[in-house]
Amino acid sequence: MRLELLKAKVKSVSWGDRTLLKNGALQVNREDLLMHVADKEHFKSVNAETAMPGESVRIVPVKDSVEPRFKIDGGEMFPGLIGAVDSVGEGKTFVLDGAAVLTCGKIVGFQEGIVDMSGPGSDYTPFSSTCNVVLVFEPVDGIEMHDYERACRIAGLKAATYIAEQVYEAGAGDCGSEVYELPPFAEAMKLHPGLPKVAYLYMLQTQGLLHDTYVYGVDAKRIIPTLIHPNETMDGAIVSGNCVSACDKNSTYVHLNNPVIKALYARHGADINFVGVIITNENVTLSDKKRSSSYAVKLARMLGVDGLIISEEGFGNPDTDLIMNCRKAEQAGMKTVLITDEYAGRDGASQSIADAAPEADAVVSAGNANMIIKLPPLDKVIGFPDYVDVIAGGSAGSLKDDGSIEVELQAITGATCELGFTKIGAETR
Amino acid sequence: METLTGKVLLKDVIPVSTSPFYICISNNPELRGKVCNLEFVDGDALCVIKRARDMVHLGSSLVSSPLYGNFRPWRTPYRTLILSGENHGDGPKTDADSVLLIEKTIASYEATASERPEPPNESDDRSFRLLDISLMEDTLEKCGLKS
């Protein structure tokens, strides 16, 4: 399975008469974009703004981020949601590298995120480095919360795909090329003798309405763990419907650019044999947790892997799934490395995840989400700043009279991403 | 949140379940009249968890995880838990996994008691109630507890 990503570098974004890319400057026709995402059944209004790295702009509350992509030679992005349900992960996909569509609206106010384009907050969110088209939604009166979430999610996907398609059709100019390819299992198992076989167990948030992830449009809490080709994740097979826990939810952008998968590809054939990806869920009931962890580890055993990388999404309830996955894999003879974040209290002194096991002896932390950060006032706010007081990690009084905010890192979109898609980190070599 | 309705998440009315195997305990008033086999707890979230602990020691097992969404303890005022009421053989037999989980949850609440926030305003309170339902709706349906 071979996927080529054709990446056109985006260095700026602005509104214009046409949607095109010239010398790294992305120009978007605002009216056409708004017409494309219009949805009178669900939205009272849709506004669109741009936000550039370094600008004195705060965006709140951010729901999802999506990288503009368009499949060039057949197939459609985000299958099962805005595209047909045919498999993705092959062929050529055009990428506006450096651009993002952010969706912004009141869904579950106290669990959504802040993106600051400058100042100390910008160090913690990866979306302060992207040239952003921000869609701001206001729902029609009386709409059901989950219908509104779905409408926002679909609008974000449509906007990102539309922008990429328009740019490609207008002639994108020079593109970089990245090729990702893994052989079929029968060949993969014989390749690289002597190197340890490693798979990736990719945990998806699926605790309930507003805590969902979709795979080919299927609600992932209704799946049993399954194999997925890593290229499919890069091509829109996994979409975030998760409105909660801004710091460690995996937005659609992050699913498309999963650093764990990129790192496994980079080391494939050098010091590991990367044989595949298993997706699993994080459900509410204990029996679901037991079923999914047993089944996911069984799949890893069927692949005969020596090592398993396990990444979590969210915290608290999913800590149970993380530890179940770890224990069962270790007991089956696989070495595991876990990727999580920590909720160690504002002083960092509390137990940092809700479950633990002696087998979990190799853990990568994406940071303490309870750490307090002070965000100074910025010149412009896109969205609904009143929600800062109730956002996750904030509390009554978080929003000061001068517009500054004192919150936990939990409130900043992507601050402790458990896939490692963060701006601050440390690496051992 | 003012534009969102609260009635919708449990809209699909199905016949009242006669299942003797599951019980829902909650301090969320929104569940009243929408869930059968509901034991309403007039107290805070920790009261709900302690009530579950008592039931576990009397032979019930936890069906839903006592760890709740992506929240630290005390972050939301509401808790809803589902337990299985079946006995294991002759008389109550305590489920060790349930005991460990519920005791760990109580310990985490007690260790973070200083983080308990002020009661939410009316709008936020409504959001917390809705989120509690949204987290549990699928499980309530699976257990035949929606009414």
Side-chain angles (χ1 to χ4, degrees):
Chain A
M1 205 166 185
R2 183 182 193 274
L3 176 68
E4 183 174 8
L5 299 180
L6 295 170
K7 295 194 165 186
K9 191 69 191 165
V10 175
K11 298 171 184 168
S12 68
V13 62
S14 61
W15 304 123
D17 295 337
R18 295 180 61 207
T19 298
L20 50 81
L21 182 69
K22 192 171 183 183
N23 300 323
L26 174 62
Q27 179 182 294
V28 178
N29 183 306
R30 186 172 179 275
E31 287 69 35
D32 286 352
L33 177 68
L34 288 173
M35 198 178 303
H36 189 72
V37 301
D39 177 356
K40 288 184 177 174
E41 183 185 348
H42 299 102
F43 302 135
K44 186 187 294 178
S45 70
V46 184
N47 193 16
E49 307 234 26
T50 61
M52 281 284 296
E55 288 182 344
S56 184
V57 172
R58 172 163 296 146
I59 311 165
V60 63
V62 173
K63 184 203 165 293
D64 196 14
S65 57
V66 189
E67 187 171 47
R69 293 189 177 204
F70 171 63
K71 286 200 71 61
I72 298 169
D73 56 354
E76 294 177 275
M77 290 299 298
F78 310 118
L81 290 168
I82 62 167
V85 291
D86 295 325
S87 294
V88 291
E90 293 183 278
K92 294 182 179 180
T93 299
F94 175 65
V95 181
L96 286 174
D97 181 23
V101 170
L102 304 188
T103 54
C104 182
K106 304 172 182 178
I107 298 176
V108 185
F110 52 85
Q111 286 260 285
E112 292 171 274
I114 300 169
V115 169
D116 278 3
M117 300 305 291
S118 62
S122 66
D123 293 338
Y124 290 92
T125 177
F127 304 108
S128 62
S129 299
T130 47
C131 304
N132 299 322
V133 171
V134 186
L135 298 176
V136 182
F137 306 103
E138 288 221 60
V140 296
D141 294 338
I143 191 171
E144 298 177 5
M145 190 157 55
H146 54 290
D147 283 342
Y148 179 40
E149 182 280 321
R150 185 175 191 282
C152 293
R153 171 163 32 97
I154 297 297
L157 301 177
K158 285 170 71 175
T161 308
Y162 176 78
I163 292 169
E165 180 177 4
Q166 294 297 304
V167 169
Y168 183 76
E169 298 296 344
D174 293 337
C175 294
S177 170
E178 292 178 9
V179 174
Y180 295 92
E181 186 170 17
L182 282 183
F185 283 125
E187 290 175 41
M189 295 304 167
K190 295 175 195 163
L191 290 175
H192 311 299
L195 294 184
K197 294 186 183 70
V198 176
Y200 172 35
L201 180 52
Y202 191 173
M203 294 172 59
L204 306 175
Q205 176 65 266
T206 58
Q207 286 183 74
L209 286 174
L210 314 173
H211 295 65
D212 290 315
T213 305
Y214 297 88
V215 182
Y216 283 97
V218 175
D219 183 345
K221 68 172 163 290
R222 305 196 190 284
I223 67 168
I224 54 172
T226 188
L227 292 166
I228 193 167
H229 194 287
N231 291 3
E232 294 175 277
T233 72
M234 299 181 186
D235 223 15
I238 300 177
V239 166
S240 173
N242 182 13
C243 300
V244 297
S245 197
C247 66
D248 56 13
K249 73 178 173 189
N250 296 328
S251 64
T252 301
Y253 188 108
V254 175
H255 286 302
L256 290 166
N257 292 279
N258 186 329
V260 178
I261 289 175
K262 286 191 177 176
L264 287 167
Y265 255 122
R267 293 174 64 168
H268 176 59
D271 56 356
I272 60 167
N273 183 3
F274 174 33
V275 295
V277 179
I278 301 162
I279 50 171
T280 188
N281 47 25
E282 302 172 346
N283 283 0
V284 172
T285 68
L286 295 167
S287 59
D288 282 336
K289 292 178 184 302
K290 289 174 184 172
R291 179 188 301 113
S292 290
S293 54
S294 294
Y295 202 98
V297 168
K298 181 206 69 180
L299 289 175
R301 287 174 60 203
M302 288 169 70
L303 294 174
V305 298
D306 305 294
L308 194 61
I309 312 293
I310 308 175
S311 67
E312 184 182 12
E313 182 176 2
F315 76 98
N317 183 299
D319 292 346
T320 304
D321 303 271
L322 179 72
I323 295 300
M324 280 186 184
N325 288 328
C326 168
R327 293 190 72 171
K328 290 177 184 179
E330 290 274 347
Q331 286 165 7
M334 287 169 256
K335 295 291 184 191
T336 60
V337 175
L338 314 185
I339 313 174
T340 182
D341 60 352
E342 301 181 61
Y343 286 76
R346 293 182 176 191
D347 60 0
S350 302
Q351 179 176 326
S352 55
I353 65 172
D355 206 352
E359 291 89 346
D361 57 2
V363 180
V364 178
S365 169
N368 178 16
N370 296 132
M371 191 189 94
I372 293 286
I373 183 167
K374 292 181 180 175
L375 307 176
L378 298 181
D379 293 344
K380 178 180 177 183
V381 175
I382 298 174
F384 306 91
D386 50 317
Y387 267 67
V388 168
D389 257 8
V390 291
I391 214 161
S395 55
S398 293
L399 179 61
K400 311 297 182 192
D401 290 341
D402 66 355
S404 65
I405 303 172
E406 186 175 288
V407 285
E408 295 181 0
L409 275 187
Q410 195 181 349
I412 297 181
T413 297
T416 60
C417 172
E418 293 156 296
L419 304 183
F421 197 83
T422 50
K423 293 176 75 171
I424 299 175
E427 188 174 343
T428 56
R429 291 175 184 269
Chain B
M1 300 302 295
E2 289 75 15
T3 57
L4 307 178
T5 60
K7 64 180 189 300
V8 293
L9 296 169
L10 293 166
K11 63 182 180 183
D12 300 318
V13 176
I14 58 173
V16 173
S17 168
T18 54
S19 167
F21 299 110
Y22 299 109
I23 184 167
C24 175
I25 59 173
S26 177
N27 64 342
N28 183 352
E30 292 290 329
L31 292 182
R32 282 175 162 161
K34 296 172 182 167
V35 172
C36 52
N37 293 351
L38 172 68
E39 179 178 319
F40 185 78
V41 176
D42 188 13
D44 61 19
L46 185 55
C47 290
V48 175
I49 294 162
K50 286 186 172 177
R51 174 63 187 138
R53 185 261 317 270
D54 294 347
M55 293 171 66
V56 164
H57 282 286
L58 290 170
S60 293
S61 299
L62 289 167
V63 173
S64 59
S65 168
L67 298 167
Y68 191 61
N70 292 278
F71 294 114
R72 278 181 67 76
W74 303 109
R75 180 59 191 156
T76 89
Y78 299 108
R79 290 304 305 266
T80 298
L81 287 169
I82 298 170
L83 294 97
S84 158
E86 60 189 321
N87 290 336
H88 308 267
D90 299 330
K93 181 180 170 187
T94 305
D95 176 52
D97 287 345
S98 295
V99 171
L100 280 173
L101 276 168
I102 203 78
E103 292 293 352
K104 270 200 284 191
T105 305
I106 291 171
S108 68
Y109 265 78
E110 291 176 341
T112 55
S114 62
E115 296 180 14
R116 188 173 183 161
E118 295 294 315
N121 63 35
E122 190 178 335
S123 170
D124 298 343
D125 188 61
R126 192 161 166 276
S127 295
F128 281 125
R129 292 180 186 198
L130 285 177
L131 192 65
D132 176 69
I133 294 175
S134 76
L135 278 166
M136 297 307 299
E137 187 192 22
D138 197 62
T139 310
L140 288 166
E141 186 164 21
K142 276 202 287 193
C143 295
L145 288 169
K146 284 171 68 173
S147 63

